[in-house]
Amino acid sequence: RSEQTGRNMDIHELDPDFLRKSYDAAIYASDKLNWIKIKCYEGDEMRSIDDIAIEVLENVKQRLGAH
């Protein structure tokens, strides 16, 4: 992220063990709570903000329409 934004990484971003544990915790929570997972990358490339936002909106509409 810092390479893309030109900003320095914060203390958490500098700790790969912390990042892995955070990721694992998020995946665990999403599995247990049946959250929708939206990938922010395609292959090795980050998706655009607009592309991700469209997918988020489509999922929200689908969830709301299901009730």
Side-chain angles (χ1 to χ4, degrees):
R1 180 181 80 120
S2 64
E3 294 168 359
Q4 295 169 340
T5 64
R7 295 174 38 197
N8 290 332
M9 290 190 284
D10 66 25
I11 190 169
H12 300 104
E13 292 169 321
L14 289 169
D15 184 347
D17 187 49
F18 176 83
L19 292 176
R20 171 54 57 191
K21 288 177 181 176
S22 296
Y23 175 81
D24 291 344
I27 295 300
Y28 176 83
S30 70
D31 289 343
K32 292 295 179 186
L33 299 171
N34 197 29
W35 292 347
I36 296 171
K37 296 178 196 127
I38 295 177
K39 290 185 179 178
C40 296
Y41 59 89
E42 197 164 306
D44 291 338
E45 299 292 319
M46 290 292 295
R47 292 171 57 196
S48 72
I49 292 171
D50 290 340
D51 191 40
I52 295 167
I54 289 168
E55 186 174 347
V56 168
L57 184 58
E58 287 172 355
N59 278 279
V60 168
K61 286 179 179 178
Q62 185 178 17
R63 284 277 174 118
L64 292 176
H67 296 304

